[in-house]
């Protein structure tokens, strides 16, 4: 089966492509680096020729409110339109658990706009909503700084390894379209502030993490269960302490 991975050079895409290939599929990574751009349409028609499935694991280069909305709307519209012309049978997109519960965030409004375009298109689809990646824990501190300290709400948090995200997205991509949402998450629950504090300690990052019940998450108000998936979520295998011993944790330390 020919499966085009849009955003195939990114964190999840670069794990998904070899995963699909090892299961015998023809997986093609596509992104601006390889001459395929979902904003301009460049290279899309050729990349999608004879594709059965398209997996969208792109991310916006800018997370500023209007830029991120413009990215996900334009990119998704273009992609769905080229997919319809190419006869693609299954569109898979990676979204975020709890997006609809965080409307104060420009980033999550953009993810909901992306999901709505997919739901309203003619292409059969599966939307995979993942919890936060372990690889993103330091990034969470970076986007939560107030006067040099990371302010994070002590709410429930169930992040997962990017490898497990790629495994689940791969499984769903080769299965039948669910025409709905599948949630995926990590095998353990933590407190958001606690896990970011632990991650910074492993990185010898001296920044203090403040447990602040009023702290926003990417601009959104969060409460106890905003970030955790429902009871039917499929779970990754990798526990946080195990992930810390893996090369992925060291790679994340270098790039995120
Ligand atoms: N971070 C989290 O904790 C989390 C949790 C749940 C879900 N997600 C979702 O996971 C998805 C993937 O995240 P990620 O961290 O793997 O992303 P990433 O590492 O930032 O990679 C982004 C990818 O998008 C590609 N891209 C950017 N602009 C493009 C364009 N105009 N046309 C085609 N491709 C373009 C990039 O290509 P180039 O390399 O060629 O620039 C790159 O391959 C996102 O949609 C995000 O919402 C993230």
């Amino acid at each position: 089966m020919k499966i085009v991975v849009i955003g195939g050079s990114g964190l999840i895409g670069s794990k998904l492509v070899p995963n699909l290939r090892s299961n015998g599929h023809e997986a093609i990574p596509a992104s601006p680096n390889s001459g395929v751009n979902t904003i301009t349409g460049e290279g899309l028609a050729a990349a999608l020729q004879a594709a059965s499935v398209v997996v969208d694991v792109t991310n916006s280069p800018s997370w500023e409110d209007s830029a991120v909305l413009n990215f996900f709307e334009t990119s998704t519209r273009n992609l769905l339109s080229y997919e319809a012309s190419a006869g693609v049978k299954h569109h898979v997109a990676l979204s975020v658990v709890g997006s609809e519960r965080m409307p104060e965030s420009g980033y999550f409004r953009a993810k909901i706009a992306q999901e709505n375009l997919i739901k309203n298109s003619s292409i059969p689809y599966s939307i995979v909503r993942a919890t936060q990646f372990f690889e993103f824990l330091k990034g969470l501190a970076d986007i939560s700084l107030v006067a040099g300290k990371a302010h994070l709400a002590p709410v429930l948090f169930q992040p997962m390894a990017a490898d497990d995200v790629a495994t689940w997205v791969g499984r769903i991509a080769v299965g039948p379209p669910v025409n709905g949402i599948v949630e995926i998450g990590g095998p353990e629950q933590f407190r958001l502030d606690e896990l970011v504090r632990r991650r910074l300690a492993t990185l010898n990052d001296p920044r203090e993490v403040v447990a602040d019940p009023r702290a926003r998450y990417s601009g959104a108000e969060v409460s106890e269960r905003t970030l955790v998936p429902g009871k039917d979520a499929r779970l990754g295998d990798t526990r946080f302490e195990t992930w810390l011993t893996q090369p992925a944790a060291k790679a994340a330390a270098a790039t995120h």
Side-chain angles (χ1 to χ4, degrees):
M1 192 151 64
K2 177 173 169 181
I3 304 174
V4 178
V5 180
I6 309 282
S9 58
L11 174 64
I12 302 301
S14 62
K15 295 173 185 294
L16 177 60
V17 168
N19 169 308
L20 291 168
R21 286 181 181 160
S22 70
N23 286 310
H25 300 287
E26 183 194 355
I28 311 290
S31 75
N33 271 339
S34 56
V36 180
N37 191 321
T38 53
I39 298 298
T40 62
E42 181 199 351
L44 262 182
L48 298 192
Q49 214 172 7
S52 304
V53 180
V54 170
V55 184
D56 181 0
V57 285
T58 58
N59 209 351
S60 173
S62 164
W63 292 9
E64 184 275 321
D65 282 4
S66 61
V68 69
L69 183 63
N70 186 45
F71 177 86
F72 280 114
E73 284 191 334
T74 309
S75 172
T76 306
R77 259 196 210 107
N78 284 340
L79 203 43
L80 292 168
S81 144
Y82 279 90
E83 286 175 28
S85 305
V88 169
K89 302 281 185 297
H90 188 186
H91 178 93
V92 181
L94 185 56
S95 190
V96 189
V97 164
S99 289
E100 81 288 4
R101 297 190 283 267
M102 295 184 275
E104 302 86 5
S105 161
Y107 188 84
F108 293 111
R109 286 198 298 274
K111 295 302 288 184
I112 291 295
Q114 176 188 19
E115 291 189 1
N116 287 338
L117 286 165
I118 295 165
K119 288 175 186 166
N120 293 327
S121 88
S122 60
I123 318 270
Y125 69 93
S126 303
I127 293 170
V128 184
R129 283 188 173 179
T131 58
Q132 288 66 37
F133 314 151
F134 291 149
E135 284 78 355
F136 185 51
L137 291 171
K138 178 174 167 289
L140 273 177
D142 297 340
I143 65 168
S144 307
L145 289 179
V146 179
K149 297 178 183 178
H151 283 243
L152 289 153
V155 295
L156 285 177
F157 187 50
Q158 199 175 329
M160 64 193 298
D163 273 317
D164 289 341
V165 177
T167 299
W168 272 114
V169 172
R171 281 183 191 147
I172 291 162
V174 300
V178 300
N179 294 314
I181 293 172
V182 178
E183 288 190 323
I184 61 176
E188 308 162 278
Q189 286 190 344
F190 303 91
R191 295 278 157 188
L192 173 59
D193 63 309
E194 170 212 349
L195 201 65
V196 174
R197 193 177 295 112
R198 275 167 69 183
R199 178 58 174 151
L200 293 190
T202 68
L203 295 169
N204 294 318
D205 184 325
R207 288 177 296 177
E208 188 182 330
V209 175
V210 178
D212 177 355
R214 286 170 311 156
R216 291 187 167 219
Y217 180 91
S218 191
E221 290 173 19
V222 284
S223 57
E224 184 72 348
R225 304 198 64 83
T226 303
L227 300 174
V228 294
K231 61 176 175 35
D232 294 332
R234 327 281 168 88
L235 303 183
D237 294 329
T238 313
R239 302 173 80 83
F240 180 64
E241 289 297 331
T242 308
W243 177 80
L244 283 177
T245 66
Q246 296 176 348
K250 294 182 181 69
T255 58
H256 283 73

